[in-house]
Amino acid sequence: TTLFRSGMPPRDLGLIDLSPTEMMFWLYCPIKLAGADICVVPDNLAGFMPIVYAVRRDLSADQWRSNFVYLTAKTLWVTHENPGNRRGWHSDGFMTDDLNYVWSDRDGTMFWTPDDLCFFTQDHGRSLEEMELVAELGPHKAYPDKHLLRLDQSVIHRVADFSTAGVRSFVKISVSRHRYNLV
């Protein structure tokens, strides 16, 4: 059985002070194709360009040019029962070299921050069960609102618990050598 290293914290790239107001649900909108330098963003997503620029600065020129870049943007009414994102402990880009950058304006993502690295099975179903058992025990950490965080497959996380219902904006930039073939 092949194992992968987990339990790394995200890298905090700092505050990006945006205050989105338009309700939306965009999932993996392609904004840059592999081999291109320029990204193209629909007009109503242009307010998230400071996040895209921060991702561009974080990547090497080769990483930027050789990968697809996707934008997920959600401004939704969230509650404990309807968090707007995937429940359960998981890894974005599992079994890939994808990078994901996440940002939210309130109730940030919860990260599992163990004292020692842990290893999980490289199997989608089994690893989710393993992550749920181990990561739920803690320790956990949330980062300040409006901070951009860089995640690779070693960062185990879940959607935060919402103490108060309200509007929440969440943005994810996914950088991948793979074409996401969504419908």
Side-chain angles (χ1 to χ4, degrees):
T1 302
T2 304
L3 303 175
F4 79 97
R5 183 179 71 150
S6 298
M8 297 297 293
R11 191 163 89 208
D12 187 344
L13 300 178
L15 174 70
I16 299 181
D17 193 9
L18 303 177
S19 297
T21 57
E22 179 183 347
M23 301 297 272
M24 64 177 63
F25 189 111
W26 288 79
L27 185 63
Y28 297 118
C29 176
I31 61 170
K32 194 193 82 60
L33 300 177
D37 286 319
I38 298 170
C39 65
V40 178
V41 176
D43 288 345
N44 67 329
L45 297 178
F48 299 116
M49 286 306 293
I51 295 173
V52 175
Y53 295 145
V55 169
R56 173 65 189 94
R57 285 189 302 272
D58 186 59
L59 297 170
S60 70
D62 183 59
Q63 283 176 306
W64 177 258
R65 183 156 180 61
S66 63
N67 284 288
F68 294 91
V69 179
Y70 303 92
L71 172 62
T72 294
K74 303 175 189 178
T75 299
L76 305 169
W77 181 266
V78 296
T79 66
H80 178 71
E81 296 78 23
N82 182 21
N85 279 346
R86 176 184 180 169
R87 288 199 183 277
W89 293 100
H90 64 280
S91 160
D92 287 357
F94 181 71
M95 293 175 51
T96 72
D97 58 359
D98 290 3
L99 294 174
N100 288 279
Y101 296 79
V102 298
W103 177 97
S104 63
D105 62 355
R106 63 169 272 218
D107 297 310
T109 303
M110 186 65 60
F111 294 93
W112 176 53
T113 56
D115 293 331
D116 297 312
L117 293 179
C118 188
F119 293 86
F120 293 113
T121 307
Q122 281 196 330
D123 174 273
H124 287 280
R126 286 183 58 195
S127 66
L128 287 173
E129 292 171 6
E130 294 167 356
M131 287 177 205
E132 193 65 34
L133 287 172
V134 176
E136 192 57 35
L137 299 174
H140 306 132
K141 179 176 182 177
Y143 288 77
D145 291 343
K146 298 186 177 186
H147 275 233
L148 183 62
L149 306 172
R150 177 183 170 160
L151 290 65
D152 63 20
Q153 73 163 337
S154 70
V155 180
I156 309 302
H157 60 284
R158 68 169 174 80
V159 66
D161 295 321
F162 300 108
S163 56
T164 306
V167 175
R168 176 182 187 251
S169 291
F170 171 83
V171 176
K172 178 165 71 169
I173 306 291
S174 300
V175 179
S176 179
R177 58 188 168 92
H178 303 285
R179 180 186 302 264
Y180 291 4
N181 287 323
L182 302 177
V183 174

